[in-house]
Amino acid sequence: MVKITASEVNKLRKTTGAGMMDCKNALVEAEGDFDKAIEILRKKGQKVAAKRADRDSSEGAAIAKVNDSNTEGVIVSLNCETDFVAKNETFVNLAQDLADLALKYASKEELLAADFGGITVQEKLIEQTGVIGEKIEIGDFRRLSAPFVGSYIHAGNKIATLVGLSAEVEGAPEVAKDVAMQAAAMNPVALDESGVDQETIDKEIEIAKDQLRQEGKPEAMLDNIAKGKLKRFFKDNTLVNQDFIKDSKISVAQYVQSAGKDLKVTGFERVALG
């Protein structure tokens, strides 16, 4: 029987992130062959992944990253099954690394196929499923481009947002972060009225009419009153029309214009977990 040293076990643990006993057992099974031991651990991950494929992975870490020129941003959510794993430092570091890597790619599919230390991201996720014992997957991938992009990650990595501005002006980092915080806290359905889909509009009008009927309002008045309620819905639920959370006397659009009269929010992305 091949003697396995502590340094070999430690090297395998650092390479794969697997536990000490798992690494020792893999090296014993591989008769000291380091590459074969890695393959054994990966196969274990595949078995665990297959067993847990139908599990719910609604916990995790949502990470937003912006490139050095502040013109491109991504949000990647690395999902797992429990909050306990989601708070694990190694898991969060993996989510951070994947978000950094994601800046180079246009889609989740491209990211999953990308190289990650000699294996694909997809293979890394399967490997870590074996290490952690939970289903691990990339749940969300969002990308945003603009003349200036800012980001915000809410405490605990449960909500991440990106916001695009129409120009890089003095104070843009603070403005973009404030608006990204607004998007995180207030969960708007769209950037402005034009971004709200017709199905949502029809549903809101019908809800308003039902409420008015219950209040005994005449049928002939319902359309006009419902339109007024729809305007209120747009104000409360579209990002640029919402009251700014740091100063409710102005809208988000007005706050943005305080940094430049022509400055506008061009888009946003929001990912929430749990």
Side-chain angles (χ1 to χ4, degrees), residues 61-78:
I63 307 295
K65 294 276 184 174
V66 176
N67 67 357
D68 291 341
S69 58
N70 288 98
T71 55
E72 301 275 347
V74 294
I75 302 174
V76 171
S77 73
L78 185 61

Side-chain angles (χ1 to χ4, degrees), residues 13-26:
R13 185 185 68 80
K14 284 182 177 176
T15 301
T16 64
M20 295 292 277
M21 283 309 297
D22 284 338
C23 289
K24 184 178 179 182
N25 291 338

